[in-house]
Amino acid sequence: MADDYYQTLEINKNATDADIKKAYRRLALKFHPKSSKEAGSTERFSQLGEAYEVLSDPRKKATYDKFGLEGLKGGIPPEFGRGGAWSSKYAYHGDPEKTFKQFFGGDNPFAVDFYTNDVPLQFGGLQSVVVKTQDPPIERDLHLSLDDLFLGCTKKIKISRRVMNEGGYTSSIKDKILSIDVNPGWKEGTRIVFSKEGDQGPNSIPADIVFIVRQKSHPLFERQDDDLIYKTQISLEMALTGFSVNVPTIDGRLLNIPINDIVHPRYSKVVPGEGMPLFQDPSQRGDLIIHFDIQFPEKLSVDRKHLIKKALK
């Protein structure tokens, strides 16, 4: 092992943490046994691993800067040491490949982007660059009632996903609660994206989790864009003579709508501003549209037919 860690990494003692990482990245890739054919590359690769492990650790670096290699590996002299981590002896674990994998992440460090001075590293004379890609989105339906979409609400959804443990070599399954604030006026097909909340892996970017709004059916209303459709049955007498219809609203009111027109089979009553809230401006609303199902009598006596004919002349 070279006596000067800074010289090993080809940096000076004023190097920042970013400088140390940049130097190790460049030299470790250059002298890795899989990529270098230079004599002594294996030994140099090991030296780089030890130098980086010391200089990237604030306590080890401080001890090395003040007491040198002897103080780092032999322990701080008694007149300076007070026990604890600062006076403990340091010994490199001797596995530069472990240091390399911890730095780049994953069981296969060569399955990540490798660049030396912005130039893709070449292995065995062939250019090899593997781009770290993101997994495809995970799409799930989010079933909401018309009341939820009218009033707005908050939905809590528990997901289980694989996360990498500290060190990046193993993973475990952990639960997480995702919170969705449903805004008044959301429509069927609205997409809610949770970025990179999918399974983690050593050589991939976690997938986005996407929830897609699916509207449940409602016992009273049908939705048509921002309008609400309400259907009610009336008699032929009501259709011809006029009446009032009571419509209970989703927000708990009761509308009394007078119908003074002749209600024919294609007739509908439009009540402005009593439909769904507009997503862009919930203070504004679509319309309530009332459709009528006219119930005709199955039979009429001769006398009734005569009276109707007389009334309609």
Side-chain angles (χ1 to χ4, degrees), residues 1-15 20 47-48 50-77 80 85-92:
M1 170 65 207
D3 290 340
D4 192 331
Y5 289 134
Y6 291 99
Q7 183 179 357
T8 298
L9 288 178
E10 300 179 4
I11 55 178
N12 59 47
K13 290 189 176 182
N14 295 323
I20 294 169
Q47 293 173 353
L48 291 167
E50 182 174 340
Y52 173 73
E53 185 172 87
V54 172
L55 297 183
S56 64
D57 185 303
R59 290 190 175 184
K60 294 185 181 70
K61 182 177 183 297
T63 303
Y64 174 71
D65 287 345
K66 187 170 185 178
F67 300 103
L69 193 63
E70 183 178 351
L72 178 69
K73 294 193 171 184
I76 298 175
F80 296 102
W86 277 92
S87 61
S88 60
K89 298 180 181 181
Y90 166 73
Y92 185 51

Side-chain angles (χ1 to χ4, degrees), residues 13-248:
K13 290 189 176 182
N14 295 323
T16 63
D17 184 62
D19 294 332
I20 294 169
K21 286 181 169 63
K22 183 177 180 181
Y24 176 74
R25 171 184 287 273
R26 177 176 62 85
L27 294 171
L29 290 170
K30 179 179 179 181
F31 290 102
H32 193 286
K34 289 185 179 180
S35 62
S36 177
K37 295 183 179 180
E38 295 185 26
S41 61
T42 300
E43 181 181 358
R44 182 69 192 281
F45 182 66
S46 180
Q47 293 173 353
L48 291 167
E50 182 174 340
Y52 173 73
E53 185 172 87
V54 172
L55 297 183
S56 64
D57 185 303
R59 290 190 175 184
K60 294 185 181 70
K61 182 177 183 297
T63 303
Y64 174 71
D65 287 345
K66 187 170 185 178
F67 300 103
L69 193 63
E70 183 178 351
L72 178 69
K73 294 193 171 184
I76 298 175
E79 60 269 25
F80 296 102
R82 296 182 180 177
W86 277 92
S87 61
S88 60
K89 298 180 181 181
Y90 166 73
Y92 185 51
H93 52 67
D95 185 358
E97 190 70 36
K98 177 181 177 182
T99 305
F100 186 76
K101 289 180 179 180
Q102 287 176 336
F103 181 87
F104 288 101
D107 295 333
N108 180 13
F110 289 94
V112 299
D113 269 334
F114 281 167
Y115 293 89
T116 304
N117 296 328
D118 297 327
V119 178
L121 188 67
Q122 296 187 8
F123 297 98
L126 297 175
Q127 194 175 63
S128 176
V129 178
V130 179
V131 179
K132 195 172 185 179
T133 59
Q134 186 176 20
D135 294 335
I138 301 170
E139 297 185 349
R140 296 289 183 268
D141 289 342
L142 177 64
H143 294 278
L144 299 173
S145 69
L146 192 59
D147 299 60
D148 292 334
L149 297 170
F150 185 98
L151 301 169
C153 64
T154 298
K155 296 292 184 181
K156 303 285 187 180
I157 300 175
K158 184 171 76 171
I159 63 169
S160 297
R161 63 178 190 146
R162 185 172 297 279
V163 298
M164 299 302 297
N165 297 326
E166 186 176 354
Y169 291 97
T170 60
S171 62
S172 56
I173 301 296
K174 292 187 177 179
D175 292 338
K176 184 173 183 178
I177 302 297
L178 301 179
S179 180
I180 299 177
D181 292 324
V182 178
N183 295 325
W186 273 5
K187 297 179 181 179
E188 175 94 8
T190 297
R191 298 169 68 88
I192 306 99
V193 180
F194 289 88
S195 179
K196 300 178 183 177
E197 289 289 357
D199 289 339
Q200 297 177 355
N203 300 314
S204 64
I205 301 171
D208 294 340
I209 295 181
V210 182
F211 291 95
I212 304 173
V213 171
R214 302 300 181 200
Q215 181 182 296
K216 299 177 184 177
S217 59
H218 192 274
L220 296 180
F221 299 102
E222 292 181 12
R223 184 178 183 177
Q224 190 175 79
D225 199 13
D226 294 320
D227 298 332
L228 290 176
I229 309 299
Y230 180 80
K231 296 180 180 180
T232 186
Q233 290 186 350
I234 61 172
S235 66
L236 179 59
E237 176 190 353
M238 295 167 67
L240 296 175
T241 61
F243 60 98
S244 294
V245 59
N246 291 325
V247 181

